[in-house]
Amino acid sequence: MGMDFSTLRNLISRYCAGEENWVDSRTIYIGHKEPPSGTEAFIQQRFPDNRIVSSKYTFWNFVPKNMFEQFRRVANFYFLIIFLVQLIIDTPTSPITSGLPLFFVITVTAIKQGYEDWLRHKADNSVNQCPVHVVQHGKVVRKQSRKLRVGDVVFIKENETFPCDLILLSTSRDDGTCFVTTASLDGESSHKTYHAVQDTKAYNTEMEVDSIHATIECEQPQPDLYKFVGRINIYMDNEPVARPLGSENLLLRGATLKNTEHIYAVAIYTGMETKMALNYQSKTQKRSAVEKSMNAYLVVYLCILIGKALINTVLKYAWQADANRDEPWYNDRTETERQRHIVIRAFTDFLAFMVLFNYIIPVSMYVTVEMQKFLGSYFIMWDDEMFDEELGERAVVNTSDLNEELGQVEYVFTDKTGTLTENNMEFIECCVDGHVYVPNVICNGQVMPGATSMDMIDTSPGPGAREHEELFFRALCLCHTVQVKEEETVDGIKQGIHQGKSTSFYISSSPDEVALVEGMKRLGFTYLRLKDSHMEILNREDEIERFQLLEVLTFDSVRRRMSVIVRSSTGELYLFCKGADSAIFPRVISGKVEQIRARVEHNAVEGLRTLCVAYRPLSPEQYQEVCRLLNGAKLALQDRDKRLAEAYDIIEKDLILLGATAVEDRLQEKAADTIESLHKAGMKVWVLTGDKMETAAATCYASKLFHRNTQILELTTKRTEEQSLHDVLFDLSRTVLRQHGGMTRDSFSGLSGDCTDYGLIIDGATLSAVMRPAQEDSSSGNYKEIFLEICRNCSAVLCCRMAPLQKAQIVKLIKASREHPITLAIGDGANDVSMILEAHVGIGIMGKEGRQAVRNSDYAIPKFKHLKKMLLVHGHYYYIRISELVQYFFYKNVCFIFPQFLYQFFCGFSQQPLYDTAYLTLYNISFTSLPILLYSLIEQHIHMDILRKDPSLYRDIAKNSLLRWPIFIYWTLLGVYDAIVMFFGVYFLFDNTTFTSNGQMFGNWTFGTLVFTVLVFTVTFKLALDTHYWTWINHFVIWGSLIFFVVFSLLWGGIIWPFLNYQRMYYVFMQMLSSGPAWLSIILLITASLLPDVLKKVICRTLWPTTTERIQNADKLYNGQLSEFTPLESLHAPSKAGRHRRGSGNQRNAPNPRRSEPFHKKIMFTRWRRTPDYCTFPPLLRFADGSRHSKQGHAYGGAGPETSV
């Protein structure tokens, strides 16, 4: 009965007591073994299997789910209604004219989205079906990863990836530790140390592990990667022994085993309950700004359509008020029609007019857009400049729906480690008692003659300098958690570092530590190994020194330091401590603090990662007290972390400062240049990282996110402990707003160099406080708006110590701000997946380890540097092309259907079509579709080299500038004008009914065909006028489509088609072309239609040219070679400030004020054939902001042949 009551109690607590009460813990039975009778009730809980799902559809729900998503689009839903109306009532056009294009759109889109989701399924299956080894009945058996269950004991070998979240039971190492890289989780490729459960670490075989009788109680799955609370109950002689479990025992899915032969671990969280999966955002359908504009325009055209149908319906009944017009002798109604109510007749007529005019809504535009996106995405994948030879990888497009969004990005959120940096540390220098030491220019502690120019802070060594120097080197060789990995030589003999050639290498939880130990090796002190709790180092005299490792006070982000306690071979006890300067200096009681502090600050400004080193000699009595403190804290089951922190605080005091080190985290190639270009393009760059503040800040300086003159504002836990969050936020707000006078940075067009440059640093804990919803009884209010206001006025923001979900929260916060900016997130690890899914555009970096970010991203690129071309070139082109495509489609459909509207005034509103059914159906599908599709694939309004060299051109298309309402209205009015010219031009020509030379009269189908011919030629020539980049393909498609129209019309009207029940078009087209006036009218009407647009272009380009048009004109002048020798800044429209300060660099598209450092100008050497220097060309001076021409050819801006391109 006890078991029954336990089950009942469990169910009640789970389903009735509220979510907070039942998600607190779970019980896991290792090896699925029941606990001994009488100890506790056996309640086997149900857990999910180990499948990972990143796909959106299944085989069963694909059709209904995809149909639902597609019919959410206004156009698709509208055409479905029109199609149904055509099926139900008698309409002037066939249902095929609406149904066929709709079916084509739906099918093409479904195939594309289905294919993309199939690729996700394929990637999921490769993960879910990979083999894992499980211990069952004392033997290791293989099974697929998806079949793994909570409670299974898993056997994992070196370099294998953990298939789920595991608790470490035992390892092949005697001390029960293993080493793990978590690159795909937190971006760190360094080795981290994890510990086996103390009571199970001795179980090293399958039989022994299978004999373990234990249960684990732990919290329910939580997304926090760095937190885990649990305990293990091990049954020995039926008596449970409880041991605490923490994050040091938890191995996370996606991490990889390193430098350990094998481990045994038990599965506790599987599948979508693993911490990695919980940090994924749910997939949502991302829609681009262009698609939203298309839907808005569609609503406008829908209103126009309803208005047209309504006007025609009202006018029809006004016209038919006269009985003779209502029912003429040649069109008697049936009795049924006479008895129908007038409301029903009016509604039917209204629907018939809707069907007649429905072509104003271009359903084929969606087909063309889908094809343009799908085919256009291959240009990214085929781009050889985005191919990385080192990785052998090209850029990948996972979702082509967002191509044009790449040209609209306003905020870039980037990860740090593995994205901006290579996570490859290099030791630069160290400073001991004020003396600077640089590797490779040191010989036995003496500065080599070639290094006399080094910055020596204090060149007068004290009496104990040599002793302090060696103590500093020994401290760095001992104070670390580095492991030595030995490699076998060709002879198969394992050799250590001190034996002959160096065949071993260092691994550690921190790449900084490896860099420091390797730096010491280059300075004469080599760390050899840790053996039997003794650390061995090789000194300069090639003597091996042994130190007994007594205690390790591990590093944590709060203390920001680590220590070791060692005993030398002579019996002396030392505590060596290293850490951040802010953590070491307050604990120092002696040493050359000021000299070392000055050097640390100097290196920090240079963007180097700095650490300080100190020591403290210990007496035996002091050491006994240290042991007592540490043991008491380690055995605590409650508040263990807090008690350990208190013990460390007591131990690490009264230190003697030895020196400091400087390490460089290498940035990825061209990372700084890419960030600089993004800033010039008007984008704000935020760095979101899980790394500590000092490290991240150093990287931001190195990558030029922060500059020397950047004033750093801190919103960190340290500051909020001194002041309330409310006060800190308002202080920062006053600081930035006082400088900017209440305007955001976006308000500055010139971005004057007088403006102070601000950079904000915020940590995860403070961000949580800022994001917390305001309490009703709290006077603090909601801080989000204040925080956003501060961020808007900062040129760069660094968010450190961020959990993966916090990264997504930041992106979501910016997305939801009042400007609704377009956001892009880029990262390389599973910890970046949440923000990649949350941002409008998500980009994955193909890191050295892990593919989670790549698999869940919209686009994937090999290196961060490729982001520059992806946005500034591909994004720019995609947006220009698709915006022209959208506007052109609406324009040509207005031209197409407005004459049909006008025609109703001349046919008694009888719903008579102006065009033949074939023309109605093929206009958007065949006659005018290919030219605009090709335009939207290959148009290059500006050469790509110019776009790359002048990032500020990206600003010209920002904020969806080419799809704004004024431009949309212009295209619509242009379409209405062209339609009026076509219709009334042909109408007035038809006044003379004897139109042909033989006196034969033309009928209504000739009238409609003539209008249609002028229409097709006009809209095609309009596109030709807008094309800047001509190739043989353009010529073939544009002129080929016109020839196809003529040939089709000749065939359609020249043959009696047996499958048609009417032959109304027979010989119409040929008869029309046999008339001289018809030819003349076609030429005149095409000219009259295009003339206003041509005049507008000429006048605007001459009087008010945009930056883009200036560059186009100049590029034509130099036959497409402008980017090679012209200063592009000279072609920008001058800002008001620039007119007064010609040489100050404050042009409209100048970079942000932090770029006010001296320009580094690059001399451009150009070769000319029989031509003088480019500055002597008079035409260029028209675009050079009024500079006067000099005979010497060096008068432009006083810069001569130099340029800052």
Side-chain angles (χ1 to χ4, degrees), residues 534-675:
H534 283 78
M535 302 179 83
E536 297 180 1
I537 61 176
L538 187 72
N539 63 21
R540 288 177 180 150
E541 285 74 35
D542 286 340
E543 298 169 350
I544 296 178
E545 300 179 6
R546 287 170 59 89
F547 292 83
Q548 184 183 0
L549 180 62
L550 301 173
E551 297 286 350
V552 178
L553 282 59
T554 55
F555 176 88
D556 65 66
S557 58
V558 178
R559 285 167 50 243
R560 294 188 293 181
R561 59 184 181 272
M562 75 157 290
S563 301
V564 294
I565 299 174
V566 296
R567 180 184 282 120
S568 68
S569 54
T570 58
E572 296 166 320
L573 292 163
Y574 292 100
L575 179 142
F576 291 116
C577 182
K578 73 176 182 194
D581 55 334
S582 58
I584 298 293
F585 284 139
R587 300 180 168 275
V588 168
I589 56 172
S590 66
K592 296 190 176 181
V593 177
E594 292 308 316
Q595 294 97 318
I596 293 171
R597 179 182 275 121
R599 193 65 191 177
V600 166
E601 290 175 356
H602 173 270
N603 287 332
V605 169
E606 294 296 321
L608 301 177
R609 299 156 67 99
T610 57
L611 286 175
C612 293
V613 182
Y615 82 103
R616 173 189 172 195
L618 295 174
S619 65
E621 294 77 19
Q622 289 174 321
Y623 174 64
Q624 292 300 323
E625 177 63 17
V626 165
C627 289
R628 187 187 64 78
L629 282 170
L630 289 176
N631 288 335
K634 285 178 179 178
L635 291 174
L637 294 179
Q638 300 292 326
D639 298 327
R640 182 171 58 168
D641 290 344
K642 183 180 178 183
R643 291 187 61 176
L644 273 173
E646 291 170 352
Y648 291 164
D649 195 56
I650 295 169
I651 295 165
E652 294 168 329
K653 64 180 182 181
D654 302 334
L655 303 176
I656 301 167
L657 187 62
L658 286 171
T661 63
V663 172
E664 182 181 20
D665 184 4
R666 290 179 186 168
L667 285 176
Q668 281 199 18
E669 182 189 3
K670 296 183 180 177
D673 172 63
T674 301
I675 286 182

Side-chain angles (χ1 to χ4, degrees), residues 891-910:
Y891 156 78
K892 73 186 181 77
N893 278 46
V894 169
C895 292
F896 179 45
I897 218 65
F898 199 73
Q900 177 75 68
F901 171 71
L902 296 174
Y903 186 58
Q904 295 306 303
F905 288 84
F906 298 89
C907 68
F909 307 100
S910 60

Side-chain angles (χ1 to χ4, degrees), residues 356-420:
L356 186 64
F357 300 141
N358 84 84
Y359 299 96
I360 197 171
I361 309 289
V363 69
S364 57
M365 178 178 70
Y366 282 89
V367 186
T368 312
V369 166
E370 291 291 344
M371 293 175 69
Q372 188 267 348
K373 289 180 176 182
F374 182 69
L375 297 174
S377 64
Y378 282 95
F379 289 114
I380 290 179
M381 294 188 277
W382 291 337
D383 193 336
D384 288 335
E385 292 182 17
M386 296 176 72
F387 174 75
D388 187 75
E389 293 183 357
E390 181 187 344
L391 296 174
E393 298 274 10
R394 289 185 177 276
V396 174
V397 178
N398 294 326
T399 304
S400 58
D401 290 338
L402 304 169
N403 292 345
E404 66 277 8
E405 207 81 327
L406 295 170
Q408 294 294 295
V409 176
E410 296 171 65
Y411 280 80
V412 175
F413 299 93
T414 173
D415 179 39
K416 181 187 75 70
T417 310
T419 303
L420 290 179

Side-chain angles (χ1 to χ4, degrees), residues 712-725:
I712 302 298
L713 307 174
E714 285 192 21
L715 188 56
T716 57
T717 308
K718 183 179 178 183
R719 185 164 178 188
T720 53
E721 286 172 355
E722 299 167 358
Q723 277 181 284
S724 70
L725 178 62

Side-chain angles (χ1 to χ4, degrees), residues 336-363:
T336 308
E337 287 175 332
R338 287 196 184 97
Q339 290 176 357
R340 287 175 71 188
H341 196 279
I342 189 169
V343 175
I344 296 174
R345 278 191 291 153
F347 182 68
T348 306
D349 283 329
F350 172 76
L351 291 178
F353 279 119
M354 286 281 288
V355 169
L356 186 64
F357 300 141
N358 84 84
Y359 299 96
I360 197 171
I361 309 289
V363 69

Side-chain angles (χ1 to χ4, degrees), residues 411-629:
Y411 280 80
V412 175
F413 299 93
T414 173
D415 179 39
K416 181 187 75 70
T417 310
T419 303
L420 290 179
T421 69
E422 294 179 351
N423 204 24
N424 186 9
M425 307 296 175
E426 182 182 3
F427 180 79
I428 301 299
E429 67 169 49
C430 60
C431 170
V432 185
D433 283 349
H435 298 272
V436 178
Y437 296 80
V438 179
N440 303 329
V441 293
I442 301 289
C443 182
N444 295 327
Q446 302 301 315
V447 179
M448 298 292 286
T452 52
S453 62
M454 284 170 50
D455 183 9
M456 303 296 288
I457 296 174
D458 182 1
T459 54
S460 54
R466 175 81 178 189
E467 181 185 343
H468 260 214
E469 173 193 301
E470 294 195 351
L471 193 60
F472 173 84
F473 293 154
R474 287 190 182 95
L476 285 176
C477 283
L478 297 170
C479 187
H480 57 71
T481 57
V482 169
Q483 301 293 320
V484 180
K485 171 78 172 177
E486 293 184 343
E487 289 184 331
E488 292 185 358
T489 63
V490 177
D491 299 322
I493 303 170
K494 286 189 177 180
Q495 296 186 343
I497 289 176
H498 63 291
Q499 297 174 332
K501 295 181 180 178
S502 173
T503 59
S504 301
F505 59 91
Y506 299 118
I507 56 174
S508 171
S509 60
S510 167
D512 299 69
E513 289 192 329
V514 174
L516 292 174
V517 173
E518 287 178 343
M520 292 305 100
K521 179 184 170 186
R522 287 153 63 193
L523 291 172
F525 279 76
T526 305
Y527 171 62
L528 298 178
R529 67 177 68 83
L530 172 64
K531 185 178 181 181
D532 300 328
S533 299
H534 283 78
M535 302 179 83
E536 297 180 1
I537 61 176
L538 187 72
N539 63 21
R540 288 177 180 150
E541 285 74 35
D542 286 340
E543 298 169 350
I544 296 178
E545 300 179 6
R546 287 170 59 89
F547 292 83
Q548 184 183 0
L549 180 62
L550 301 173
E551 297 286 350
V552 178
L553 282 59
T554 55
F555 176 88
D556 65 66
S557 58
V558 178
R559 285 167 50 243
R560 294 188 293 181
R561 59 184 181 272
M562 75 157 290
S563 301
V564 294
I565 299 174
V566 296
R567 180 184 282 120
S568 68
S569 54
T570 58
E572 296 166 320
L573 292 163
Y574 292 100
L575 179 142
F576 291 116
C577 182
K578 73 176 182 194
D581 55 334
S582 58
I584 298 293
F585 284 139
R587 300 180 168 275
V588 168
I589 56 172
S590 66
K592 296 190 176 181
V593 177
E594 292 308 316
Q595 294 97 318
I596 293 171
R597 179 182 275 121
R599 193 65 191 177
V600 166
E601 290 175 356
H602 173 270
N603 287 332
V605 169
E606 294 296 321
L608 301 177
R609 299 156 67 99
T610 57
L611 286 175
C612 293
V613 182
Y615 82 103
R616 173 189 172 195
L618 295 174
S619 65
E621 294 77 19
Q622 289 174 321
Y623 174 64
Q624 292 300 323
E625 177 63 17
V626 165
C627 289
R628 187 187 64 78
L629 282 170

